[in-house]
């Protein structure tokens, strides 16, 4: 008498034999598909860069000992911006200080003892002293800023 559980291994062996025959008979049937050229996007050439002014380079070659940086207007603008700012508060916690300023256009500015190029050097309760990286100093007096008007609540 044939047990039903003997049928499982027999069916597995038949399936294995059929797949081996199919693989052997059709193993060379595959061929590579025809190559397709990719569709490339249209591009426009980049604009050529303008002529570079070499006057500074020719007048002051890089390796000369007399070479010095050109005075930057940005440094003077930063000093002017700081001088026109209003000192609103200096917050101190532990060993760190933060000076809260308001620029002339109304935007806030924050300077600490680690900020660059300007940093808070000292504060005596009424006057703050700021120092730049190149040694320039600006003194600002503490100003009272009235609170902003809030719309009435409903």
């Amino acid at each position: 008498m044939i047990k039903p559980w003997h049928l499982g291994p027999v069916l597995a062996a038949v399936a294995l034999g059929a797949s081996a025959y199919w693989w052997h008979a059709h193993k060379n049937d595959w061929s590579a598909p025809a190559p397709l050229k990719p569709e490339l996007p249209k591009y426009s050439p980049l604009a050529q860069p303008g002529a570079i002014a070499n006057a500074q380079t020719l007048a002051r070659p890089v390796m000369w000992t007399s070479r010095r940086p050109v005075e930057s207007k940005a440094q003077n603008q930063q000093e002017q911006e700081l001088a026109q700012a209003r000192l609103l508060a200096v917050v101190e916690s532990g060993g760190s200080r933060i000076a809260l300023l308001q620029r002339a256009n109304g935007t806030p500015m924050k300077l600490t003892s680690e900020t660059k190029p300007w940093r808070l050097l000292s504060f005596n309760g009424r006057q703050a002293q700021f120092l730049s990286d190149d040694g320039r100093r600006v003194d600002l007096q503490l100003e009272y800023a009235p609170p902003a008007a809030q719309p009435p609540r409903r």
Side-chain angles (χ1 to χ4, degrees):
M1 171 166 202
I2 297 179
K3 305 264 183 200
W5 55 273
H6 287 139
L7 190 58
V10 171
L11 287 176
V14 169
L16 185 62
S19 62
Y21 171 75
W22 182 85
W23 178 78
H24 182 66
H26 298 288
K27 67 180 173 182
N28 294 327
D29 289 351
W30 184 85
S31 62
L36 297 175
K37 290 186 178 181
E39 292 182 23
L40 298 176
K42 299 286 183 189
Y43 70 93
S44 59
L46 296 174
Q48 295 297 325
I52 300 171
N54 290 331
Q56 291 279 338
T57 306
L58 294 174
R60 302 177 316 118
V62 175
M63 298 304 209
W64 281 14
T65 57
S66 63
R67 181 178 166 92
R68 297 287 179 256
V70 177
E71 273 299 316
S72 173
K73 292 181 182 178
Q75 291 176 350
N76 294 336
Q77 288 174 349
Q78 289 175 348
E79 183 176 4
Q80 218 172 25
E81 180 184 29
L82 183 62
Q84 292 174 355
R86 296 175 53 202
L87 179 63
L88 302 178
V90 176
V91 181
E92 195 169 346
S93 175
S96 62
R97 290 182 184 158
I98 300 174
L100 303 173
L101 299 111
Q102 185 178 27
R103 292 184 178 102
N105 63 4
T107 59
M109 180 170 41
K110 176 176 79 168
L111 296 175
T112 66
S113 57
E114 288 89 26
T115 54
K116 301 263 183 193
W118 289 93
R119 61 185 172 94
L120 178 61
L121 184 62
S122 65
F123 180 67
N124 64 6
R126 278 293 200 199
Q127 185 176 13
Q129 198 172 55
F130 299 94
L131 181 68
S132 72
D133 290 340
D134 56 353
R136 292 178 294 171
R137 292 179 187 233
V138 173
D139 296 334
L140 291 177
Q141 293 286 334
L142 187 63
E143 294 183 25
Y144 171 73
Q150 294 182 357
R153 292 190 175 178
R154 293 183 183 180

